[in-house]
Amino acid sequence: MINKSKILKSYNNKIKLLDTYNKFYYEKSSPKVTDEIFDKLKEEIQLLEKKHDFLKSKNSPSKIVGYKPSKNFEKKNHKVPMLSLSNAFTEDDLINFEKKILNYLSEEKTFEITYSAEPKIDGISASITYKNGKFISGLSRGDGKEGEDITKNLATLEDIPKKIVSKDFPSEIDIRGEVFITNRDFENLKEKFANPRNAASGSLRQKNPEETKKIPLKFIAYTFGYENGLKTNTQSDFLINLRNWGFKTNPLNKTITGVKNLIKNYEFVEKKRPNLDFDIDGIVYKINDFSLQKRLGNVANAPRWAIAHKFSSNKGISEILDIDIQIGRTGALTPVAKIKPINIGGVVVSNATLHNEDEIKRKDIRIGDTVTIERAGDVIPHILSVDLKKRINQSTVFVFPTKCPSCGSKTIKEFNKVTKKNDAVRRCSSEGYKCEKISIEKLKHFVSKEAFNIDGLGKKIVEGFWKLKLIQFPQDIFKLDYNKIEKLEGWGRLSVENLQYSINQKKNISLERFIYSLGIRHIGLENAKLLSKHFISFSKFKNLSIQSDYEDLLNIDGIGETQVNSIKSFFSNKSNIRVLNELEKILIIKNAVQNSDNGLLKNKTFLVTGKLNGISRAEVKSLIEENSGKTISSVSKKLNFLIIGEKPTKKKVDYAKQLKIKVIDQAEFLKMLNKSS
């Protein structure tokens, strides 16, 4: 006979423990256990419930499908976006970075670039607005475009001046920097938080500023966003100004010329790293000259003029427990090694990417193997090597699935016309929304930060709503049955109202973000931007399915055959067309914003052939777009001007003349912009 009271006691203890883990993970940003331990506990609870009908709890993992979105702080837009940075790991990465800069500026290899080298503190980014020298407000980084208003909490930091009286201080400026906790101070907080970064994050997001005040938060300033009246020409001078204005700056900042010297400084700082009282995860290199920064501009969400050089990786040894096949939104099958949890550089690692089928074969990776795991910066941990001496006799070669584990469709390796080889990645051949795993990943992408950015609709909730058949297609997100959600365990009226509010707020979206949200293969943020500028309106974009005029897309500078084939494949699928039609009824999709409606080059198209003097094609393209013009990638009747430099392509010039297109040189082009060469 079963002992009901004993089973009930065990069950309730497990529920209580799970609730504690949830609290630390979701509310305190400080996970208590690894994913494996957490998942195992949930599984144990669900097994007990299946065995015994009398076991029930509103906090059961079988009933909870989501958590309330944070509404502690109001969201506000940054006047100037807080961009992310590209990463470098090797000297070659830095050489390529500098080479791209020189190419863009059309300078010779002998041209010396001076950098501001600034160690990157591993904390929480914040942007602080001053007007007439007075601290007005402060935002978290958020998604780069929109942050949380954490003014009252930032006001408790002693390192942030509240009033600046210097005569050279701008009339308005956003001072940006990093909020962090020193390693010494963290010793008194480590029972509450997983690491110093989590401690800084959790403290800044306290509802009560008086609680934030109790935490020894520091602030180091390093850059600015919006400014009005800044009279500084270089980053190094700006850092000096920051100190004069009362801000703290990184004591290890340096001004350096040449990649070799950057490497020497990198090695010097890396050696000092263990003895520092604050965590740093790399060095940020910024072109020192602000006028060069302005010329270089940005690509997608990162500046061309800066890069983060990450420190060497951390390594550890573990055992592969299993190999799991994950399916992405483009159908790519990615093998992931489930390993015995191991602490690498202060982070508990329980998964490591195996990249693709070829990587598994090349390294002969098998379940049960003892392996060396590497974790470098923010890069996903991966397996460096297998210790063959420790391999068990019963070990078998891992066989990659030829059928999709989700929908059973055939998996394929596509032929790459450029490399003349099959791709390394194997994909599910299912199109549209037929494959469950692809559909779920597409929905996660649809609500992600760079796409619709819907608060309270994270990855776990998307998965939960899918299982409950609340959403199957993107349009279902805007037709949710909120009455049904409110009745679910873990949800209440307030959390449902918050979710409904978040979703309704996002019914108004820009064309470029909408195109990106669709998850079309090979169409990232930059390509979505190019397409939005080409189509201007959603109706013209959608009409591709009717017109089938895909060849015209090849005229978009930056869009190639690979992207066009992906777009063609997307529009050839009926379920995708149905999704577009349904979303059109629900959303307000704003027309693409052009740089200037009345620029000097309005309604004019350009193409460059040959080498120009002192200016690159990329910079010419930027100048054309800034002045309302457009660049296309080939000579056609749609071309107005062919700009020729040294050694132009004769075929292009001859064809342009044949079509009676005006051929101009660099001086004539600059004259059109009222500039001299």
Side-chain angles (χ1 to χ4, degrees):
M1 187 173 174
I2 61 168
N3 188 330
K4 279 193 175 184
S5 60
K6 192 175 180 181
I7 292 168
L8 187 61
K9 186 180 178 182
S10 172
Y11 173 77
N12 287 333
N13 284 339
K14 289 180 189 292
I15 290 286
K16 192 176 177 182
L17 187 60
L18 184 72
D19 190 51
T20 302
Y21 292 163
N22 274 328
K23 189 174 182 181
F24 274 90
Y25 186 86
Y26 290 100
E27 292 181 22
K28 297 189 176 182
S29 302
S30 177
K32 273 289 201 185
V33 292
T34 64
D35 289 350
E36 275 71 23
I37 294 171
F38 182 78
D39 291 339
K40 190 179 178 184
L41 179 61
K42 286 201 297 183
E43 193 179 333
E44 286 171 1
I45 291 169
Q46 288 167 333
L47 281 171
L48 281 171
E49 288 173 345
K50 280 182 183 177
K51 270 187 177 181
H52 310 288
D53 294 340
F54 60 88
L55 296 178
K56 288 177 184 177
S57 170
K58 65 178 183 179
N59 293 324
S60 165
S62 59
K63 293 181 179 179
I64 295 172
V65 295
Y67 292 85
K68 292 187 291 184
S70 172
K71 289 291 171 187
N72 294 349
F73 305 98
E74 186 185 347
K75 298 289 176 68
K76 287 186 178 178
N77 287 328
H78 295 287
K79 272 193 174 182
V80 173
M82 293 185 77
L83 302 175
S84 55
L85 293 172
S86 301
N87 290 331
F89 295 95
T90 64
E91 185 174 350
D92 283 344
D93 290 341
L94 295 182
I95 290 167
N96 288 332
F97 169 67
E98 187 167 279
K99 187 178 177 182
K100 285 177 183 177
I101 288 169
L102 293 174
N103 286 341
Y104 187 92
L105 298 173
S106 197
E107 295 288 356
E108 298 296 326
K109 289 180 182 178
T110 51
F111 182 81
E112 284 195 335
I113 295 175
T114 302
Y115 298 94
S116 176
E118 305 165 21
K120 183 177 175 290
I121 289 180
D122 191 15
I124 304 301
S125 299
S127 182
I128 302 152
T129 299
Y130 289 85
K131 286 186 182 177
N132 300 317
K134 188 179 178 184
F135 169 46
I136 298 296
S137 62
L139 298 178
S140 66
R141 184 184 183 278
D143 65 0
K145 292 181 180 178
E146 182 185 64
E148 290 179 322
D149 187 339
I150 50 172
T151 304
K152 290 179 181 177
N153 288 355
L154 287 170
T156 66
L157 273 66
E158 290 181 10
D159 289 350
I160 296 175
K162 308 306 178 289
K163 180 74 178 174
I164 298 170
V165 294
S166 302
K167 289 180 182 178
D168 61 347
F169 194 71
S171 59
E172 184 175 352
I173 190 168
D174 296 334
I175 299 292
R176 291 175 174 176
E178 208 79 3
V179 177
F180 67 101
I181 289 176
T182 63
N183 294 329
R184 192 187 296 115
D185 287 333
F186 178 67
E187 284 299 310
N188 301 319
L189 301 166
K190 61 184 181 183
E191 293 303 315
K192 297 180 180 179
F193 300 100
N195 52 50
R197 190 179 188 280
N198 280 350
S201 175
S203 304
L204 266 185
R205 301 184 82 253
Q206 294 276 358
K207 288 181 183 179
N208 184 357
E210 289 303 312
E211 291 300 313
T212 304
K213 198 174 182 178
K214 295 174 185 176
I215 309 295
L217 295 172
K218 309 289 184 189
F219 181 77
I220 274 187
Y222 54 74
T223 191
F224 59 91
Y226 174 80
E227 60 81 18
N228 182 14
L230 180 65
K231 296 172 182 175
T232 311
N233 297 319
T234 63
Q235 172 69 7
S236 52
D237 284 346
F238 176 70
L239 292 173
I240 292 169
N241 284 347
L242 283 171
R243 290 196 292 275
N244 293 338
W245 294 334
F247 292 95
K248 288 181 180 174
T249 60
N250 199 314
L252 295 170
N253 290 344
K254 279 188 181 178
T255 306
I256 298 169
T257 301
V259 170
K260 291 290 180 189
N261 291 324
L262 290 179
I263 294 296
K264 283 180 185 176
N265 180 63
Y266 172 86
E267 290 168 351
F268 168 76
V269 174
E270 190 172 27
K271 283 177 185 174
K272 287 183 73 75
R273 187 182 174 197
N275 302 317
L276 296 175
D277 196 25
F278 47 84
D279 288 340
I280 57 174
D281 55 9
I283 302 177
V284 174
Y285 305 130
K286 304 171 187 173
I287 288 186
N288 199 39
D289 189 324
F290 284 163
S291 63
L292 290 182
Q293 286 187 16
K294 190 176 179 182
R295 274 182 67 186
L296 287 159
N298 312 315
V299 288
N301 285 339
R304 281 193 186 91
W305 44 267
I307 197 166
H309 190 181
K310 295 288 186 175
F311 284 127
S312 302
S313 63
N314 292 303
K315 297 172 187 174
I317 293 171
S318 186
E319 181 188 332
I320 298 179
L321 303 175
D322 199 3
I323 294 176
D324 184 34
I325 302 295
Q326 296 182 354
I327 303 159
R329 65 177 171 84
T330 63
L333 272 62
T334 304
V336 175
K338 300 290 180 181
I339 63 170
K340 274 187 180 177
I342 179 173
N343 191 308
I344 303 178
V347 175
V348 176
V349 174
S350 52
N351 295 320
T353 181
L354 298 173
H355 299 293
N356 53 54
E357 182 180 6
D358 291 352
E359 177 82 350
I360 292 176
K361 286 180 180 176
R362 187 172 66 81
K363 292 180 178 175
D364 188 19
I365 296 167
R366 305 180 186 185
I367 295 168
D369 278 347
T370 299
V371 292
T372 300
I373 314 288
E374 181 180 55
R375 180 180 172 270
D378 297 327
V379 175
I380 299 167
H382 64 279
I383 289 171
L384 271 182
S385 59
V386 175
D387 188 345
L388 296 174
K389 291 177 183 176
K390 294 183 179 178
R391 176 171 282 170
I392 57 173
N393 293 330
Q394 298 85 359
S395 172
T396 56
V397 174
F398 181 78
V399 180
F400 214 83
T402 53
K403 287 188 176 180
C404 174
S406 171
C407 67
S409 297
K410 185 181 177 183
T411 60
I412 55 171
K413 284 189 173 186
E414 294 176 352
F415 182 75
N416 190 312
K417 289 181 181 178
V418 178
T419 62
K420 307 293 181 187
K421 294 178 182 177
N422 285 331
D423 283 342
V425 175
R426 189 177 283 278
R427 298 179 188 277
C428 168
S429 58
S430 174
E431 294 285 345
Y433 289 82
K434 286 182 181 177
C435 177
E436 179 182 329
K437 292 292 184 184
I438 292 177
S439 298
I440 292 171
E441 292 306 314
K442 279 189 172 186
L443 289 165
K444 288 179 187 176
H445 177 80
F446 187 82
V447 301
S448 65
K449 278 188 177 182
E450 290 81 10
F452 273 78
N453 190 25
I454 298 175
D455 279 337
L457 199 58
K459 293 179 180 180
K460 293 290 182 189
I461 294 177
V462 168
E463 287 177 5
F465 282 2
W466 171 278
K467 286 173 186 173
L468 293 168
K469 294 190 166 28
L470 287 167
I471 54 174
Q472 300 290 295
F473 298 96
Q475 62 266 27
D476 298 336
I477 290 166
F478 304 98
K479 302 174 183 177
L480 282 170
D481 186 341
Y482 295 108
N483 290 326
K484 189 173 181 180
I485 295 170
E486 192 176 333
K487 291 172 186 173
L488 297 171
E489 288 290 345
W491 288 85
R493 189 171 65 181
L494 183 60
S495 59
V496 169
E497 282 175 359
N498 285 337
L499 179 63
Q500 189 172 5
Y501 173 79
S502 296
I503 290 171
N504 288 336
Q505 284 288 98
K506 301 300 181 177
K507 285 183 179 179
N508 197 317
I509 190 168
S510 68
L511 180 59
E512 65 181 76
R513 283 180 83 123
F514 177 78
I515 292 173
Y516 175 74
S517 76
L518 297 172
I520 304 171
R521 194 172 161 207
H522 301 301
I523 304 299
L525 280 171
E526 192 64 23
N527 285 333
K529 198 173 182 180
L530 293 173
L531 289 169
S532 69
K533 283 184 178 180
H534 174 78
F535 290 107
I536 306 297
S537 69
F538 171 72
S539 59
K540 286 182 181 176
F541 172 71
K542 197 186 80 165
N543 280 346
L544 259 180
S545 62
I546 303 164
Q547 295 168 349
S548 300
D549 189 15
Y550 297 103
E551 295 305 313
D552 191 40
L553 297 181
L554 291 169
N555 279 324
I556 303 173
D557 196 21
I559 299 290
E561 198 175 322
T562 302
Q563 287 78 23
V564 172
N565 286 337
S566 282
I567 294 165
K568 200 184 288 186
S569 176
F570 175 85
F571 277 101
S572 66
N573 186 275
K574 288 179 181 178
S575 64
N576 289 332
I577 303 301
R578 191 164 58 250
V579 167
L580 290 179
N581 289 334
E582 289 296 318
L583 288 172
E584 186 179 22
K585 297 172 189 174
I586 301 164
L587 305 172
I588 297 169
I589 302 168
K590 294 176 285 187
N591 288 354
V593 177
Q594 294 172 293
N595 289 319
S596 170
D597 291 331
N598 295 298
L600 294 167
L601 307 178
K602 186 180 180 182
N603 298 326
K604 293 182 174 69
T605 57
F606 296 83
L607 174 65
V608 181
T609 178
K611 189 179 186 300
L612 300 179
N613 182 27
I615 188 169
S616 66
R617 291 191 191 188
E619 191 169 359
V620 167
K621 182 184 174 185
S622 294
L623 284 171
I624 290 166
E625 289 176 354
E626 283 168 17
N627 287 276
S628 310
K630 189 178 176 183
T631 55
I632 62 176
S633 59
S634 61
V635 177
S636 70
K637 289 178 181 178
K638 295 181 180 180
L639 181 65
N640 298 128
F641 295 93
L642 179 68
I643 306 169
I644 60 166
E646 293 175 29
K647 297 180 181 177
T649 304
K650 188 176 183 297
K651 190 177 177 182
K652 286 180 181 176
V653 177
D654 290 344
Y655 191 38
K657 287 177 179 176
Q658 186 184 324
L659 295 175
K660 296 183 179 177
I661 291 162
K662 191 162 184 181
V663 178
I664 60 173
D665 60 18
Q666 182 176 338
E668 289 173 288
F669 168 68
L670 293 172
K671 195 175 179 182
M672 292 172 75
L673 296 172
N674 297 322
K675 293 176 180 280
S676 57
S677 57

